[in-house]
Amino acid sequence: NERVHAYLLRHDDEADRPWAVVIHGHRMGESRDIRFLGSRPLHRDLGVNVAHLVLPMHGPRGRMDAHAFPGADPVANLLGVTQSVSDARALIAWIRSETHLPIGVFGISLGGLVTSMLGAFEPDLGCVVAGLPLTNIAMMLAMTVKSRWGDEALAETHFLDPGPVQLSGLASPLSYAPVVPHDRRFIYGAVGDRLVTARQAEALWRHWDEPTIQWLHGGHILNNVRAGRRFVTRAFAASGVSGR
């Protein structure tokens, strides 16, 4: 887990190109994410290079350890988000050593949380696109337990005790002011999302001073994927993160 991984899609020519950083969701982090998250169309249609960051405890960084992130341990969740943001910033720094052209970031679910955090620490990004963004880990865990096993099971988890809630706040983009310009912030959510509820996407939208947002029909996994991908492509193009 100490070694940062990223999967790269680079054009064969030697032309200097903008980059898209794509950040996956929970239980992802393998090379198949390139297909699942629509990176080939970004690479082809926008003419950008693409870097898929692998988050801590995911993909090749998590195969030898069963510790879940995010999971029931609020301290591990805070450290996981901290490491995720640090790793993402290291990847962005490496890309900046390769090009001076714009870098856009797109993340989904857990990756949407990391993308949103980057929007508070990397003012020079070309754009940030938060898809189905997780903004409150404690609430997400609590609502998942409550919906499956009820209030008694939720009380036993202590997810909503003051300590876990405070730690979850430190690992939330809602605790940090955005520094990426308003017209380069984009969000999409799903109206029927029962894992990362629409309220979480709406909370980020309000915190970000109501930037461009799109609502998809469906839930966290089954939604209008094509509409989401078109939204990401348009957001990158409108922000100048395009090699065409």
Side-chain angles (χ1 to χ4, degrees), residues 130 132 186-191 201 205 211-217 224-232 234:
L132 311 171
F186 301 86
I187 302 169
Y188 74 80
V191 294
W205 176 68
T212 300
I213 188 169
Q214 175 162 321
W215 290 103
L216 306 180
H217 294 288
N224 193 339
V225 173
R226 290 185 179 180
R229 290 180 179 178
R230 289 194 297 269
F231 179 78
V232 174
R234 289 196 299 267

mmCIF file with all atom_site columns, all heavy atoms in Angstrom, residues 130 132 186-191 201 205 211-217 224-232 234:
data_model
loop_
_atom_site.group_PDB
_atom_site.id
_atom_site.type_symbol
_atom_site.label_atom_id
_atom_site.label_alt_id
_atom_site.label_comp_id
_atom_site.label_asym_id
_atom_site.label_entity_id
_atom_site.label_seq_id
_atom_site.pdbx_PDB_ins_code
_atom_site.Cartn_x
_atom_site.Cartn_y
_atom_site.Cartn_z
_atom_site.occupancy
_atom_site.B_iso_or_equiv
_atom_site.pdbx_formal_charge
_atom_site.auth_seq_id
_atom_site.auth_comp_id
_atom_site.auth_asym_id
_atom_site.auth_atom_id
_atom_site.pdbx_PDB_model_num
ATOM 1   N N   . ALA A 1 130 ? -17.010 15.862 -9.970  1.00 0.00 ? 130 ALA A N   1
ATOM 2   C CA  . ALA A 1 130 ? -17.323 14.922 -8.898  1.00 0.00 ? 130 ALA A CA  1
ATOM 3   C C   . ALA A 1 130 ? -18.590 14.149 -9.259  1.00 0.00 ? 130 ALA A C   1
ATOM 4   O O   . ALA A 1 130 ? -19.676 14.732 -9.305  1.00 0.00 ? 130 ALA A O   1
ATOM 5   C CB  . ALA A 1 130 ? -17.502 15.653 -7.575  1.00 0.00 ? 130 ALA A CB  1
ATOM 6   N N   . LEU A 1 132 ? -21.363 11.293 -8.386  1.00 0.00 ? 132 LEU A N   1
ATOM 7   C CA  . LEU A 1 132 ? -21.949 10.569 -7.258  1.00 0.00 ? 132 LEU A CA  1
ATOM 8   C C   . LEU A 1 132 ? -21.096 10.748 -6.010  1.00 0.00 ? 132 LEU A C   1
ATOM 9   O O   . LEU A 1 132 ? -20.715 9.782  -5.342  1.00 0.00 ? 132 LEU A O   1
ATOM 10  C CB  . LEU A 1 132 ? -22.071 9.070  -7.590  1.00 0.00 ? 132 LEU A CB  1
ATOM 11  C CG  . LEU A 1 132 ? -22.714 8.719  -8.932  1.00 0.00 ? 132 LEU A CG  1
ATOM 12  C CD1 . LEU A 1 132 ? -22.566 7.226  -9.200  1.00 0.00 ? 132 LEU A CD1 1
ATOM 13  C CD2 . LEU A 1 132 ? -24.177 9.122  -8.956  1.00 0.00 ? 132 LEU A CD2 1
ATOM 14  N N   . PHE A 1 186 ? -17.778 20.867 -11.352 1.00 0.00 ? 186 PHE A N   1
ATOM 15  C CA  . PHE A 1 186 ? -18.915 20.169 -11.927 1.00 0.00 ? 186 PHE A CA  1
ATOM 16  C C   . PHE A 1 186 ? -19.273 18.982 -11.035 1.00 0.00 ? 186 PHE A C   1
ATOM 17  O O   . PHE A 1 186 ? -18.395 18.345 -10.447 1.00 0.00 ? 186 PHE A O   1
ATOM 18  C CB  . PHE A 1 186 ? -18.585 19.659 -13.333 1.00 0.00 ? 186 PHE A CB  1
ATOM 19  C CG  . PHE A 1 186 ? -18.190 20.729 -14.307 1.00 0.00 ? 186 PHE A CG  1
ATOM 20  C CD1 . PHE A 1 186 ? -16.865 21.160 -14.389 1.00 0.00 ? 186 PHE A CD1 1
ATOM 21  C CD2 . PHE A 1 186 ? -19.134 21.310 -15.135 1.00 0.00 ? 186 PHE A CD2 1
ATOM 22  C CE1 . PHE A 1 186 ? -16.490 22.154 -15.294 1.00 0.00 ? 186 PHE A CE1 1
ATOM 23  C CE2 . PHE A 1 186 ? -18.768 22.303 -16.037 1.00 0.00 ? 186 PHE A CE2 1
ATOM 24  C CZ  . PHE A 1 186 ? -17.446 22.723 -16.117 1.00 0.00 ? 186 PHE A CZ  1
ATOM 25  N N   . ILE A 1 187 ? -20.571 18.696 -10.969 1.00 0.00 ? 187 ILE A N   1
ATOM 26  C CA  . ILE A 1 187 ? -21.070 17.598 -10.132 1.00 0.00 ? 187 ILE A CA  1
ATOM 27  C C   . ILE A 1 187 ? -22.161 16.864 -10.896 1.00 0.00 ? 187 ILE A C   1
ATOM 28  O O   . ILE A 1 187 ? -22.946 17.484 -11.621 1.00 0.00 ? 187 ILE A O   1
ATOM 29  C CB  . ILE A 1 187 ? -21.682 18.140 -8.813  1.00 0.00 ? 187 ILE A CB  1
ATOM 30  C CG1 . ILE A 1 187 ? -20.656 18.958 -8.020  1.00 0.00 ? 187 ILE A CG1 1
ATOM 31  C CG2 . ILE A 1 187 ? -22.224 16.991 -7.946  1.00 0.00 ? 187 ILE A CG2 1
ATOM 32  C CD1 . ILE A 1 187 ? -21.278 19.737 -6.850  1.00 0.00 ? 187 ILE A CD1 1
ATOM 33  N N   . TYR A 1 188 ? -22.194 15.535 -10.742 1.00 0.00 ? 188 TYR A N   1
ATOM 34  C CA  . TYR A 1 188 ? -23.423 14.831 -11.114 1.00 0.00 ? 188 TYR A CA  1
ATOM 35  C C   . TYR A 1 188 ? -23.781 13.839 -10.021 1.00 0.00 ? 188 TYR A C   1
ATOM 36  O O   . TYR A 1 188 ? -22.915 13.269 -9.360  1.00 0.00 ? 188 TYR A O   1
ATOM 37  C CB  . TYR A 1 188 ? -23.342 14.181 -12.501 1.00 0.00 ? 188 TYR A CB  1
ATOM 38  C CG  . TYR A 1 188 ? -22.490 12.929 -12.631 1.00 0.00 ? 188 TYR A CG  1
ATOM 39  C CD1 . TYR A 1 188 ? -22.974 11.675 -12.238 1.00 0.00 ? 188 TYR A CD1 1
ATOM 40  C CD2 . TYR A 1 188 ? -21.219 12.986 -13.209 1.00 0.00 ? 188 TYR A CD2 1
ATOM 41  C CE1 . TYR A 1 188 ? -22.209 10.532 -12.399 1.00 0.00 ? 188 TYR A CE1 1
ATOM 42  C CE2 . TYR A 1 188 ? -20.453 11.850 -13.374 1.00 0.00 ? 188 TYR A CE2 1
ATOM 43  C CZ  . TYR A 1 188 ? -20.958 10.626 -12.971 1.00 0.00 ? 188 TYR A CZ  1
ATOM 44  O OH  . TYR A 1 188 ? -20.197 9.489  -13.128 1.00 0.00 ? 188 TYR A OH  1
ATOM 45  N N   . GLY A 1 189 ? -25.094 13.689 -9.812  1.00 0.00 ? 189 GLY A N   1
ATOM 46  C CA  . GLY A 1 189 ? -25.617 12.764 -8.809  1.00 0.00 ? 189 GLY A CA  1
ATOM 47  C C   . GLY A 1 189 ? -26.703 11.907 -9.420  1.00 0.00 ? 189 GLY A C   1
ATOM 48  O O   . GLY A 1 189 ? -27.067 12.063 -10.588 1.00 0.00 ? 189 GLY A O   1
ATOM 49  N N   . ALA A 1 190 ? -27.228 10.987 -8.630  1.00 0.00 ? 190 ALA A N   1
ATOM 50  C CA  . ALA A 1 190 ? -28.309 10.115 -9.084  1.00 0.00 ? 190 ALA A CA  1
ATOM 51  C C   . ALA A 1 190 ? -29.475 10.252 -8.108  1.00 0.00 ? 190 ALA A C   1
ATOM 52  O O   . ALA A 1 190 ? -29.294 10.126 -6.893  1.00 0.00 ? 190 ALA A O   1
ATOM 53  C CB  . ALA A 1 190 ? -27.850 8.661  -9.158  1.00 0.00 ? 190 ALA A CB  1
ATOM 54  N N   . VAL A 1 191 ? -30.659 10.503 -8.652  1.00 0.00 ? 191 VAL A N   1
ATOM 55  C CA  . VAL A 1 191 ? -31.807 10.812 -7.800  1.00 0.00 ? 191 VAL A CA  1
ATOM 56  C C   . VAL A 1 191 ? -32.233 9.621  -6.943  1.00 0.00 ? 191 VAL A C   1
ATOM 57  O O   . VAL A 1 191 ? -32.823 9.802  -5.869  1.00 0.00 ? 191 VAL A O   1
ATOM 58  C CB  . VAL A 1 191 ? -32.995 11.312 -8.639  1.00 0.00 ? 191 VAL A CB  1
ATOM 59  C CG1 . VAL A 1 191 ? -32.678 12.644 -9.279  1.00 0.00 ? 191 VAL A CG1 1
ATOM 60  C CG2 . VAL A 1 191 ? -33.393 10.288 -9.709  1.00 0.00 ? 191 VAL A CG2 1
ATOM 61  N N   . ALA A 1 201 ? -24.638 14.650 -2.679  1.00 0.00 ? 201 ALA A N   1
ATOM 62  C CA  . ALA A 1 201 ? -24.282 15.438 -3.861  1.00 0.00 ? 201 ALA A CA  1
ATOM 63  C C   . ALA A 1 201 ? -24.822 16.858 -3.745  1.00 0.00 ? 201 ALA A C   1
ATOM 64  O O   . ALA A 1 201 ? -24.136 17.836 -4.093  1.00 0.00 ? 201 ALA A O   1
ATOM 65  C CB  . ALA A 1 201 ? -24.821 14.767 -5.121  1.00 0.00 ? 201 ALA A CB  1
ATOM 66  N N   . TRP A 1 205 ? -22.872 20.477 -3.799  1.00 0.00 ? 205 TRP A N   1
ATOM 67  C CA  . TRP A 1 205 ? -23.316 21.521 -4.731  1.00 0.00 ? 205 TRP A CA  1
ATOM 68  C C   . TRP A 1 205 ? -23.510 22.853 -4.006  1.00 0.00 ? 205 TRP A C   1
ATOM 69  O O   . TRP A 1 205 ? -23.067 23.907 -4.475  1.00 0.00 ? 205 TRP A O   1
ATOM 70  C CB  . TRP A 1 205 ? -24.609 21.059 -5.399  1.00 0.00 ? 205 TRP A CB  1
ATOM 71  C CG  . TRP A 1 205 ? -25.248 22.039 -6.322  1.00 0.00 ? 205 TRP A CG  1
ATOM 72  C CD1 . TRP A 1 205 ? -24.762 22.465 -7.538  1.00 0.00 ? 205 TRP A CD1 1
ATOM 73  C CD2 . TRP A 1 205 ? -26.493 22.708 -6.134  1.00 0.00 ? 205 TRP A CD2 1
ATOM 74  N NE1 . TRP A 1 205 ? -25.641 23.356 -8.112  1.00 0.00 ? 205 TRP A NE1 1
ATOM 75  C CE2 . TRP A 1 205 ? -26.718 23.529 -7.271  1.00 0.00 ? 205 TRP A CE2 1
ATOM 76  C CE3 . TRP A 1 205 ? -27.450 22.679 -5.118  1.00 0.00 ? 205 TRP A CE3 1
ATOM 77  C CZ2 . TRP A 1 205 ? -27.850 24.314 -7.405  1.00 0.00 ? 205 TRP A CZ2 1
ATOM 78  C CZ3 . TRP A 1 205 ? -28.590 23.466 -5.260  1.00 0.00 ? 205 TRP A CZ3 1
ATOM 79  C CH2 . TRP A 1 205 ? -28.779 24.274 -6.387  1.00 0.00 ? 205 TRP A CH2 1
ATOM 80  N N   . PRO A 1 211 ? -22.516 25.179 -8.497  1.00 0.00 ? 211 PRO A N   1
ATOM 81  C CA  . PRO A 1 211 ? -21.979 25.129 -9.860  1.00 0.00 ? 211 PRO A CA  1
ATOM 82  C C   . PRO A 1 211 ? -22.854 24.244 -10.754 1.00 0.00 ? 211 PRO A C   1
ATOM 83  O O   . PRO A 1 211 ? -23.918 23.766 -10.339 1.00 0.00 ? 211 PRO A O   1
ATOM 84  C CB  . PRO A 1 211 ? -20.598 24.502 -9.656  1.00 0.00 ? 211 PRO A CB  1
ATOM 85  C CG  . PRO A 1 211 ? -20.819 23.563 -8.507  1.00 0.00 ? 211 PRO A CG  1
ATOM 86  C CD  . PRO A 1 211 ? -21.792 24.272 -7.595  1.00 0.00 ? 211 PRO A CD  1
ATOM 87  N N   . THR A 1 212 ? -22.392 23.978 -11.958 1.00 0.00 ? 212 THR A N   1
ATOM 88  C CA  . THR A 1 212 ? -23.126 23.125 -12.891 1.00 0.00 ? 212 THR A CA  1
ATOM 89  C C   . THR A 1 212 ? -23.301 21.725 -12.303 1.00 0.00 ? 212 THR A C   1
ATOM 90  O O   . THR A 1 212 ? -22.335 21.111 -11.841 1.00 0.00 ? 212 THR A O   1
ATOM 91  C CB  . THR A 1 212 ? -22.373 23.026 -14.230 1.00 0.00 ? 212 THR A CB  1
ATOM 92  O OG1 . THR A 1 212 ? -22.234 24.338 -14.783 1.00 0.00 ? 212 THR A OG1 1
ATOM 93  C CG2 . THR A 1 212 ? -23.134 22.142 -15.208 1.00 0.00 ? 212 THR A CG2 1
ATOM 94  N N   . ILE A 1 213 ? -24.544 21.235 -12.319 1.00 0.00 ? 213 ILE A N   1
ATOM 95  C CA  . ILE A 1 213 ? -24.831 19.910 -11.787 1.00 0.00 ? 213 ILE A CA  1
ATOM 96  C C   . ILE A 1 213 ? -25.807 19.207 -12.721 1.00 0.00 ? 213 ILE A C   1
ATOM 97  O O   . ILE A 1 213 ? -26.647 19.845 -13.364 1.00 0.00 ? 213 ILE A O   1
ATOM 98  C CB  . ILE A 1 213 ? -25.418 19.990 -10.356 1.00 0.00 ? 213 ILE A CB  1
ATOM 99  C CG1 . ILE A 1 213 ? -25.529 18.584 -9.725  1.00 0.00 ? 213 ILE A CG1 1
ATOM 100 C CG2 . ILE A 1 213 ? -26.756 20.700 -10.344 1.00 0.00 ? 213 ILE A CG2 1
ATOM 101 C CD1 . ILE A 1 213 ? -25.841 18.612 -8.238  1.00 0.00 ? 213 ILE A CD1 1
ATOM 102 N N   . GLN A 1 214 ? -25.675 17.894 -12.825 1.00 0.00 ? 214 GLN A N   1
ATOM 103 C CA  . GLN A 1 214 ? -26.611 17.085 -13.591 1.00 0.00 ? 214 GLN A CA  1
ATOM 104 C C   . GLN A 1 214 ? -27.115 15.944 -12.720 1.00 0.00 ? 214 GLN A C   1
ATOM 105 O O   . GLN A 1 214 ? -26.336 15.304 -12.006 1.00 0.00 ? 214 GLN A O   1
ATOM 106 C CB  . GLN A 1 214 ? -25.957 16.509 -14.851 1.00 0.00 ? 214 GLN A CB  1
ATOM 107 C CG  . GLN A 1 214 ? -26.878 15.556 -15.619 1.00 0.00 ? 214 GLN A CG  1
ATOM 108 C CD  . GLN A 1 214 ? -26.439 15.333 -17.047 1.00 0.00 ? 214 GLN A CD  1
ATOM 109 O OE1 . GLN A 1 214 ? -25.994 16.259 -17.726 1.00 0.00 ? 214 GLN A OE1 1
ATOM 110 N NE2 . GLN A 1 214 ? -26.552 14.105 -17.511 1.00 0.00 ? 214 GLN A NE2 1
ATOM 111 N N   . TRP A 1 215 ? -28.422 15.690 -12.813 1.00 0.00 ? 215 TRP A N   1
ATOM 112 C CA  . TRP A 1 215 ? -29.032 14.600 -12.059 1.00 0.00 ? 215 TRP A CA  1
ATOM 113 C C   . TRP A 1 215 ? -29.370 13.457 -13.004 1.00 0.00 ? 215 TRP A C   1
ATOM 114 O O   . TRP A 1 215 ? -30.052 13.657 -14.012 1.00 0.00 ? 215 TRP A O   1
ATOM 115 C CB  . TRP A 1 215 ? -30.285 15.082 -11.334 1.00 0.00 ? 215 TRP A CB  1
ATOM 116 C CG  . TRP A 1 215 ? -29.975 16.016 -10.213 1.00 0.00 ? 215 TRP A CG  1
ATOM 117 C CD1 . TRP A 1 215 ? -30.115 17.369 -10.208 1.00 0.00 ? 215 TRP A CD1 1
ATOM 118 C CD2 . TRP A 1 215 ? -29.442 15.660 -8.930  1.00 0.00 ? 215 TRP A CD2 1
ATOM 119 N NE1 . TRP A 1 215 ? -29.705 17.892 -9.001  1.00 0.00 ? 215 TRP A NE1 1
ATOM 120 C CE2 . TRP A 1 215 ? -29.283 16.864 -8.197  1.00 0.00 ? 215 TRP A CE2 1
ATOM 121 C CE3 . TRP A 1 215 ? -29.081 14.449 -8.337  1.00 0.00 ? 215 TRP A CE3 1
ATOM 122 C CZ2 . TRP A 1 215 ? -28.782 16.885 -6.900  1.00 0.00 ? 215 TRP A CZ2 1
ATOM 123 C CZ3 . TRP A 1 215 ? -28.578 14.464 -7.050  1.00 0.00 ? 215 TRP A CZ3 1
ATOM 124 C CH2 . TRP A 1 215 ? -28.438 15.677 -6.340  1.00 0.00 ? 215 TRP A CH2 1
ATOM 125 N N   . LEU A 1 216 ? -28.875 12.273 -12.675 1.00 0.00 ? 216 LEU A N   1
ATOM 126 C CA  . LEU A 1 216 ? -29.149 11.074 -13.461 1.00 0.00 ? 216 LEU A CA  1
ATOM 127 C C   . LEU A 1 216 ? -30.305 10.308 -12.842 1.00 0.00 ? 216 LEU A C   1
ATOM 128 O O   . LEU A 1 216 ? -30.484 10.302 -11.622 1.00 0.00 ? 216 LEU A O   1
ATOM 129 C CB  . LEU A 1 216 ? -27.916 10.167 -13.499 1.00 0.00 ? 216 LEU A CB  1
ATOM 130 C CG  . LEU A 1 216 ? -26.602 10.781 -13.970 1.00 0.00 ? 216 LEU A CG  1
ATOM 131 C CD1 . LEU A 1 216 ? -25.505 9.717  -13.934 1.00 0.00 ? 216 LEU A CD1 1
ATOM 132 C CD2 . LEU A 1 216 ? -26.734 11.377 -15.363 1.00 0.00 ? 216 LEU A CD2 1
ATOM 133 N N   . HIS A 1 217 ? -31.086 9.650  -13.673 1.00 0.00 ? 217 HIS A N   1
ATOM 134 C CA  . HIS A 1 217 ? -32.100 8.729  -13.177 1.00 0.00 ? 217 HIS A CA  1
ATOM 135 C C   . HIS A 1 217 ? -31.425 7.424  -12.788 1.00 0.00 ? 217 HIS A C   1
ATOM 136 O O   . HIS A 1 217 ? -30.518 6.947  -13.473 1.00 0.00 ? 217 HIS A O   1
ATOM 137 C CB  . HIS A 1 217 ? -33.169 8.481  -14.241 1.00 0.00 ? 217 HIS A CB  1
ATOM 138 C CG  . HIS A 1 217 ? -33.978 9.692  -14.565 1.00 0.00 ? 217 HIS A CG  1
ATOM 139 N ND1 . HIS A 1 217 ? -34.914 10.224 -13.696 1.00 0.00 ? 217 HIS A ND1 1
ATOM 140 C CD2 . HIS A 1 217 ? -33.982 10.506 -15.659 1.00 0.00 ? 217 HIS A CD2 1
ATOM 141 C CE1 . HIS A 1 217 ? -35.460 11.289 -14.235 1.00 0.00 ? 217 HIS A CE1 1
ATOM 142 N NE2 . HIS A 1 217 ? -34.912 11.488 -15.420 1.00 0.00 ? 217 HIS A NE2 1
ATOM 143 N N   . ASN A 1 224 ? -28.027 6.240  -15.565 1.00 0.00 ? 224 ASN A N   1
ATOM 144 C CA  . ASN A 1 224 ? -27.808 6.574  -16.973 1.00 0.00 ? 224 ASN A CA  1
ATOM 145 C C   . ASN A 1 224 ? -26.328 6.856  -17.198 1.00 0.00 ? 224 ASN A C   1
ATOM 146 O O   . ASN A 1 224 ? -25.887 8.013  -17.222 1.00 0.00 ? 224 ASN A O   1
ATOM 147 C CB  . ASN A 1 224 ? -28.665 7.782  -17.367 1.00 0.00 ? 224 ASN A CB  1
ATOM 148 C CG  . ASN A 1 224 ? -28.735 7.973  -18.868 1.00 0.00 ? 224 ASN A CG  1
ATOM 149 O OD1 . ASN A 1 224 ? -27.884 7.498  -19.612 1.00 0.00 ? 224 ASN A OD1 1
ATOM 150 N ND2 . ASN A 1 224 ? -29.759 8.670  -19.329 1.00 0.00 ? 224 ASN A ND2 1
ATOM 151 N N   . VAL A 1 225 ? -25.561 5.776  -17.363 1.00 0.00 ? 225 VAL A N   1
ATOM 152 C CA  . VAL A 1 225 ? -24.108 5.889  -17.460 1.00 0.00 ? 225 VAL A CA  1
ATOM 153 C C   . VAL A 1 225 ? -23.698 6.741  -18.656 1.00 0.00 ? 225 VAL A C   1
ATOM 154 O O   . VAL A 1 225 ? -22.771 7.558  -18.565 1.00 0.00 ? 225 VAL A O   1
ATOM 155 C CB  . VAL A 1 225 ? -23.473 4.491  -17.532 1.00 0.00 ? 225 VAL A CB  1
ATOM 156 C CG1 . VAL A 1 225 ? -21.981 4.593  -17.809 1.00 0.00 ? 225 VAL A CG1 1
ATOM 157 C CG2 . VAL A 1 225 ? -23.715 3.729  -16.235 1.00 0.00 ? 225 VAL A CG2 1
ATOM 158 N N   . ARG A 1 226 ? -24.375 6.577  -19.767 1.00 0.00 ? 226 ARG A N   1
ATOM 159 C CA  . ARG A 1 226 ? -24.000 7.339  -20.963 1.00 0.00 ? 226 ARG A CA  1
ATOM 160 C C   . ARG A 1 226 ? -24.167 8.837  -20.737 1.00 0.00 ? 226 ARG A C   1
ATOM 161 O O   . ARG A 1 226 ? -23.324 9.631  -21.165 1.00 0.00 ? 226 ARG A O   1
ATOM 162 C CB  . ARG A 1 226 ? -24.836 6.879  -22.152 1.00 0.00 ? 226 ARG A CB  1
ATOM 163 C CG  . ARG A 1 226 ? -24.477 5.480  -22.642 1.00 0.00 ? 226 ARG A CG  1
ATOM 164 C CD  . ARG A 1 226 ? -25.260 5.119  -23.901 1.00 0.00 ? 226 ARG A CD  1
ATOM 165 N NE  . ARG A 1 226 ? -24.904 3.797  -24.376 1.00 0.00 ? 226 ARG A NE  1
ATOM 166 C CZ  . ARG A 1 226 ? -25.439 3.220  -25.454 1.00 0.00 ? 226 ARG A CZ  1
ATOM 167 N NH1 . ARG A 1 226 ? -26.365 3.883  -26.146 1.00 0.00 ? 226 ARG A NH1 1
ATOM 168 N NH2 . ARG A 1 226 ? -25.052 2.009  -25.820 1.00 0.00 ? 226 ARG A NH2 1
ATOM 169 N N   . ALA A 1 227 ? -25.245 9.221  -20.073 1.00 0.00 ? 227 ALA A N   1
ATOM 170 C CA  . ALA A 1 227 ? -25.445 10.642 -19.790 1.00 0.00 ? 227 ALA A CA  1
ATOM 171 C C   . ALA A 1 227 ? -24.347 11.167 -18.875 1.00 0.00 ? 227 ALA A C   1
ATOM 172 O O   . ALA A 1 227 ? -23.862 12.291 -19.051 1.00 0.00 ? 227 ALA A O   1
ATOM 173 C CB  . ALA A 1 227 ? -26.816 10.862 -19.163 1.00 0.00 ? 227 ALA A CB  1
ATOM 174 N N   . GLY A 1 228 ? -23.936 10.352 -17.895 1.00 0.00 ? 228 GLY A N   1
ATOM 175 C CA  . GLY A 1 228 ? -22.858 10.751 -17.007 1.00 0.00 ? 228 GLY A CA  1
ATOM 176 C C   . GLY A 1 228 ? -21.557 10.941 -17.760 1.00 0.00 ? 228 GLY A C   1
ATOM 177 O O   . GLY A 1 228 ? -20.814 11.915 -17.528 1.00 0.00 ? 228 GLY A O   1
ATOM 178 N N   . ARG A 1 229 ? -21.260 10.029 -18.683 1.00 0.00 ? 229 ARG A N   1
ATOM 179 C CA  . ARG A 1 229 ? -20.025 10.140 -19.452 1.00 0.00 ? 229 ARG A CA  1
ATOM 180 C C   . ARG A 1 229 ? -20.054 11.359 -20.364 1.00 0.00 ? 229 ARG A C   1
ATOM 181 O O   . ARG A 1 229 ? -19.034 12.046 -20.524 1.00 0.00 ? 229 ARG A O   1
ATOM 182 C CB  . ARG A 1 229 ? -19.803 8.864  -20.263 1.00 0.00 ? 229 ARG A CB  1
ATOM 183 C CG  . ARG A 1 229 ? -19.453 7.657  -19.393 1.00 0.00 ? 229 ARG A CG  1
ATOM 184 C CD  . ARG A 1 229 ? -19.247 6.415  -20.226 1.00 0.00 ? 229 ARG A CD  1
ATOM 185 N NE  . ARG A 1 229 ? -18.898 5.264  -19.380 1.00 0.00 ? 229 ARG A NE  1
ATOM 186 C CZ  . ARG A 1 229 ? -18.705 4.030  -19.839 1.00 0.00 ? 229 ARG A CZ  1
ATOM 187 N NH1 . ARG A 1 229 ? -18.832 3.793  -21.142 1.00 0.00 ? 229 ARG A NH1 1
ATOM 188 N NH2 . ARG A 1 229 ? -18.393 3.052  -19.013 1.00 0.00 ? 229 ARG A NH2 1
ATOM 189 N N   . ARG A 1 230 ? -21.201 11.619 -20.974 1.00 0.00 ? 230 ARG A N   1
ATOM 190 C CA  . ARG A 1 230 ? -21.308 12.821 -21.823 1.00 0.00 ? 230 ARG A CA  1
ATOM 191 C C   . ARG A 1 230 ? -21.099 14.079 -20.995 1.00 0.00 ? 230 ARG A C   1
ATOM 192 O O   . ARG A 1 230 ? -20.454 15.039 -21.443 1.00 0.00 ? 230 ARG A O   1
ATOM 193 C CB  . ARG A 1 230 ? -22.672 12.858 -22.528 1.00 0.00 ? 230 ARG A CB  1
ATOM 194 C CG  . ARG A 1 230 ? -22.847 11.823 -23.621 1.00 0.00 ? 230 ARG A CG  1
ATOM 195 C CD  . ARG A 1 230 ? -24.067 12.141 -24.481 1.00 0.00 ? 230 ARG A CD  1
ATOM 196 N NE  . ARG A 1 230 ? -25.306 12.106 -23.731 1.00 0.00 ? 230 ARG A NE  1
ATOM 197 C CZ  . ARG A 1 230 ? -26.068 11.017 -23.597 1.00 0.00 ? 230 ARG A CZ  1
ATOM 198 N NH1 . ARG A 1 230 ? -25.704 9.878  -24.167 1.00 0.00 ? 230 ARG A NH1 1
ATOM 199 N NH2 . ARG A 1 230 ? -27.192 11.072 -22.904 1.00 0.00 ? 230 ARG A NH2 1
ATOM 200 N N   . PHE A 1 231 ? -21.629 14.079 -19.775 1.00 0.00 ? 231 PHE A N   1
ATOM 201 C CA  . PHE A 1 231 ? -21.475 15.235 -18.898 1.00 0.00 ? 231 PHE A CA  1
ATOM 202 C C   . PHE A 1 231 ? -19.998 15.470 -18.584 1.00 0.00 ? 231 PHE A C   1
ATOM 203 O O   . PHE A 1 231 ? -19.518 16.610 -18.625 1.00 0.00 ? 231 PHE A O   1
ATOM 204 C CB  . PHE A 1 231 ? -22.250 15.003 -17.605 1.00 0.00 ? 231 PHE A CB  1
ATOM 205 C CG  . PHE A 1 231 ? -22.141 16.118 -16.599 1.00 0.00 ? 231 PHE A CG  1
ATOM 206 C CD1 . PHE A 1 231 ? -22.880 17.282 -16.744 1.00 0.00 ? 231 PHE A CD1 1
ATOM 207 C CD2 . PHE A 1 231 ? -21.292 16.000 -15.503 1.00 0.00 ? 231 PHE A CD2 1
ATOM 208 C CE1 . PHE A 1 231 ? -22.778 18.316 -15.814 1.00 0.00 ? 231 PHE A CE1 1
ATOM 209 C CE2 . PHE A 1 231 ? -21.185 17.019 -14.579 1.00 0.00 ? 231 PHE A CE2 1
ATOM 210 C CZ  . PHE A 1 231 ? -21.931 18.182 -14.728 1.00 0.00 ? 231 PHE A CZ  1
ATOM 211 N N   . VAL A 1 232 ? -19.259 14.398 -18.284 1.00 0.00 ? 232 VAL A N   1
ATOM 212 C CA  . VAL A 1 232 ? -17.832 14.522 -17.978 1.00 0.00 ? 232 VAL A CA  1
ATOM 213 C C   . VAL A 1 232 ? -17.074 15.052 -19.188 1.00 0.00 ? 232 VAL A C   1
ATOM 214 O O   . VAL A 1 232 ? -16.249 15.973 -19.071 1.00 0.00 ? 232 VAL A O   1
ATOM 215 C CB  . VAL A 1 232 ? -17.261 13.166 -17.527 1.00 0.00 ? 232 VAL A CB  1
ATOM 216 C CG1 . VAL A 1 232 ? -15.746 13.254 -17.354 1.00 0.00 ? 232 VAL A CG1 1
ATOM 217 C CG2 . VAL A 1 232 ? -17.905 12.714 -16.226 1.00 0.00 ? 232 VAL A CG2 1
ATOM 218 N N   . ARG A 1 234 ? -18.198 16.846 -21.705 1.00 0.00 ? 234 ARG A N   1
ATOM 219 C CA  . ARG A 1 234 ? -18.533 18.255 -21.937 1.00 0.00 ? 234 ARG A CA  1
ATOM 220 C C   . ARG A 1 234 ? -17.852 19.156 -20.917 1.00 0.00 ? 234 ARG A C   1
ATOM 221 O O   . ARG A 1 234 ? -17.402 20.262 -21.251 1.00 0.00 ? 234 ARG A O   1
ATOM 222 C CB  . ARG A 1 234 ? -20.046 18.449 -21.900 1.00 0.00 ? 234 ARG A CB  1
ATOM 223 C CG  . ARG A 1 234 ? -20.790 17.866 -23.098 1.00 0.00 ? 234 ARG A CG  1
ATOM 224 C CD  . ARG A 1 234 ? -22.205 18.425 -23.189 1.00 0.00 ? 234 ARG A CD  1
ATOM 225 N NE  . ARG A 1 234 ? -22.998 18.111 -22.004 1.00 0.00 ? 234 ARG A NE  1
ATOM 226 C CZ  . ARG A 1 234 ? -23.778 17.047 -21.890 1.00 0.00 ? 234 ARG A CZ  1
ATOM 227 N NH1 . ARG A 1 234 ? -23.875 16.183 -22.895 1.00 0.00 ? 234 ARG A NH1 1
ATOM 228 N NH2 . ARG A 1 234 ? -24.485 16.844 -20.795 1.00 0.00 ? 234 ARG A NH2 1
#
